[in-house]
Amino acid sequence: MKILVTGAAGYIGSHTALELLRAGHEVAGFDNLCNSSEKAVERVRELSGKPLRFEKIDLLDRPGLDRLFKEGFDAVLHFAGLKAVGESVEKPELYRRNNIEGSKNLLAAMAAAGCRRLVFSSSCTVYGEVKKNPVDESHPRAAVNPYGETKLAVEDMCLALSQTDPRWRTALLRYFNPVGAHESGRIGEDPKGVPNNLMPFVMQTAVGRRPKVRVWGKDYPTPDGTGVRDYIHVVDLALGHLAALERLDALKGAEAINLGAGRGYSVLEVIAAASKAVGRPIPYEICPRRAGDAAAIWADPTLAKVKLGWSASRDLAAMCGDHWRWQKDNPQGFA
Ligand code: NAD
Ligand code: WQD
């Protein structure tokens, strides 16, 4: 298939573009590079040995999108968006405009071009305060921050579109906590500034960029008192997108599907596994809880198995080993 990847220079977009090329698809990508480097795209070309057309375009640039869609695509994988929860609280309008208006623009350009196959990067954040684990797709949705609001809004837009025009086929993939990197160590996550997420912070500590990991809370009702999350290897996640593309035509309109490993690890378990991968203890200190954090959340990944024939296969040791190879070989990321 001929696939367009939005946010192709980003963490998940670059890993997915690589797997698409390896599977024999023709891929073009765009990104406005607000949170990424074009070097990621160059490295995807190098790893795949295949051409990957890339343009610097913004989701909000409708003429730019229309020009791109003249090429004719069979499907779009839509990763482009802003994703920092804290920043979304400080700048809700920026998030609404970029993520909601940007996606609206993309959907309109797709409709105008007659391209109606879409895979959208949704998030477990749409489950809001989780009532029971594991979380399946029927769990009520709620936004607990402006970032979450944007994911709900785009999911709703996709649902409405497929109700008004039944030719649309959309997978709303709700990712849990993506970590890890390609096993080559050539592409990986390169957060700008101080990382908010656990794994990049742990690995930047291991490489000497941060003095120690701050563990946000040890008084949660979890086995060791620290927060529990469903970490998923980014290559498993990328392969989940391939599976979604292949099964898209069998979906009913727009369908939400969890992409998680289906088990939870605590913060201390992650630090221990990362220390093992690195070969020495990673320093940490216990700090007060971070506002807005849940005690525990992990996915019920059954629907992904049933609908997409996909399940995650890489364990926490692989997530830490691969993330560490990327961090060690690229201590300053793509800089
Ligand atoms: P990322 O920041 O590495 O990638 C997103 C890319 O989109 C970046 O390269 C950025 O430059 C680009 N972008 C942002 N706004 C744009 C715009 N207006 N026009 C063009 N490009 C734009 O993030 P990621 O981790 O790869 O996330 C990809 C998607 O998955 C996002 O939509 C994110 O919300 C979603 N998601 C991520 C996680 C996670 O923890 N990483 C979890 C669930 C969902
Ligand atoms: C994981 C655990 C922290 C950093 C976020 C978004 C969510 C989704 C995935 C996009 C928690 C603890 C963290 C640190 C710590 N993204 N922690 N010290 O909060 O589960 O989810 O990313 O859609 O929407 O909210 O991920 O990696 O920040 O935290 O102790 O320095 O690690 O308290 O228990 P989170 P995270």
Side-chain angles (χ1 to χ4, degrees), residues 156-168 253-254:
D156 286 342
M157 254 171 357
C158 294
L159 288 161
L161 203 52
S162 66
Q163 275 158 10
T164 48
D165 183 345
R167 291 173 296 178
W168 279 85

Side-chain angles (χ1 to χ4, degrees), residues 11-12 31-32 34-36 58-59 79 83 98 147 151:
Y11 174 43
I12 308 171
D31 199 300
N32 68 359
C34 70
N35 195 39
S36 51
D58 195 290
L59 275 176
F79 298 97
K83 64 165 182 178
N98 193 78
Y147 167 71
K151 291 295 175 196

Side-chain angles (χ1 to χ4, degrees), residues 11 14-15 18-19 22 39-40 42-44 46-47 180-190 207 233-235 314 318-335:
Y11 174 43
S14 58
H15 285 82
L18 175 59
E19 296 306 327
R22 287 162 68 106
K39 279 195 188 142
E42 286 161 19
R43 292 193 184 177
V44 170
E46 161 206 303
L47 288 167
H182 187 259
E183 61 179 10
S184 62
R186 296 292 289 157
I187 52 172
E189 188 174 12
D190 182 18
V207 87
H233 195 297
V234 67
V235 175
R314 289 159 179 80
M319 298 178 210
C320 293
D322 291 338
H323 206 123
W324 174 235
R325 191 172 306 107
W326 151 254
Q327 189 72 74
K328 171 170 59 73
D329 293 352
N330 306 270
Q332 302 300 324
F334 289 109

